[in-house]
Amino acid sequence: ASDFARTSVDLIQKGASQNVYQSAAKKLQVPADTVQKALEGVMHLLVECAKLSISEMDFHDSIMTLGFSEALIAALQQVYVEHREQLRTWLSQMAMGVPAYRDMEWRLDVQVASRAMRNQVEPSVLLKLLTSDDKTHIMQTDPSTLLHLASTLEDALKEIKTSHFRRAARILK
């Protein structure tokens, strides 16, 4: 069981290969498909627990509910504790570098008249968005478009809180 968990850690780092599944299947005298599913299950367990920074005790309690033997639980827990920080490092290296919001400045500009149209008011909003990768994005829009954008973002935030979204997010992970 310990070797199986260590193989899962190696596969997380180096990537999966059919040769590994085939050789493990020959040693265990089981179908390669069964070995592949078992290794992927252990990899998923280790990655998700490392992603959530689950403590040693929480890890033990979580896998105890799966009905594993005490020896298997101890082996998985030992491998998890030994490789938790390494797994977190790999996960952070593999994370996509999508810039995050850091700061925003805005200004409302209003043109009250021009030579062609003396009594027409044209408001516009100038946005300066700063992101975590130290880039500045400047955008200009009219107030009605900005209100529509804000409304759409609020609807998206409400949607994230629904059970349907959480169920879909679990499936996609």
Side-chain angles (χ1 to χ4, degrees):
S2 181
D3 293 337
F4 209 70
R6 292 183 201 291
T7 302
S8 295
V9 172
D10 290 340
L11 290 175
I12 292 169
Q13 180 186 15
K14 297 174 185 170
S17 156
Q18 287 298 325
N19 295 337
V20 174
Y21 300 137
Q22 295 292 340
S23 64
K26 284 181 185 175
K27 288 179 186 175
L28 297 172
Q29 297 177 347
V30 295
D33 187 47
T34 305
V35 171
Q36 180 179 355
K37 288 179 182 176
L39 282 171
E40 287 174 354
V42 173
M43 287 189 298
H44 182 71
L45 174 71
L46 294 173
V47 166
E48 289 300 313
C49 290
K51 189 188 305 182
L52 298 172
S53 297
I54 290 180
S55 69
E56 184 176 347
M57 190 59 138
D58 289 338
F59 182 83
H60 182 272
D61 292 344
S62 297
I63 61 174
M64 194 165 62
T65 61
L66 298 174
F68 294 150
S69 68
E70 202 54 48
L72 180 58
I73 291 172
L76 287 171
Q77 185 175 1
Q78 179 184 1
V79 169
Y80 173 69
V81 170
E82 287 174 8
H83 296 284
R84 175 177 36 201
E85 293 306 316
Q86 190 177 23
L87 288 168
R88 289 193 54 75
T89 303
W90 291 334
L91 287 171
S92 67
Q93 290 172 352
M94 291 177 0
M96 293 185 354
V98 178
Y101 163 83
R102 194 170 70 197
D103 192 21
M104 183 178 77
E105 298 173 10
W106 63 275
R107 181 178 76 205
L108 178 65
D109 290 332
V110 179
Q111 182 179 358
V112 275
S114 67
R115 288 183 187 175
M117 297 188 178
R118 296 201 180 256
N119 293 328
Q120 183 174 359
V121 177
E122 290 184 34
S124 66
V125 179
L126 187 65
L127 302 168
K128 181 178 177 183
L129 182 67
L130 303 169
T131 55
S132 60
D133 59 354
D134 293 326
K135 289 188 179 177
T136 302
H137 305 274
I138 298 174
M139 299 168 270
Q140 183 175 357
T141 185
D142 59 287
S144 63
T145 303
L146 186 61
L147 287 173
H148 175 69
L149 176 65
S151 170
T152 304
L153 290 173
E154 287 172 359
D155 291 344
L157 286 173
K158 287 177 190 173
E159 183 70 26
I160 288 174
K161 296 177 184 176
T162 64
S163 61
H164 176 71
F165 176 83
R166 280 185 258 139
R167 193 169 37 250
R170 272 196 307 268
I171 291 169
L172 293 175
K173 284 184 179 182

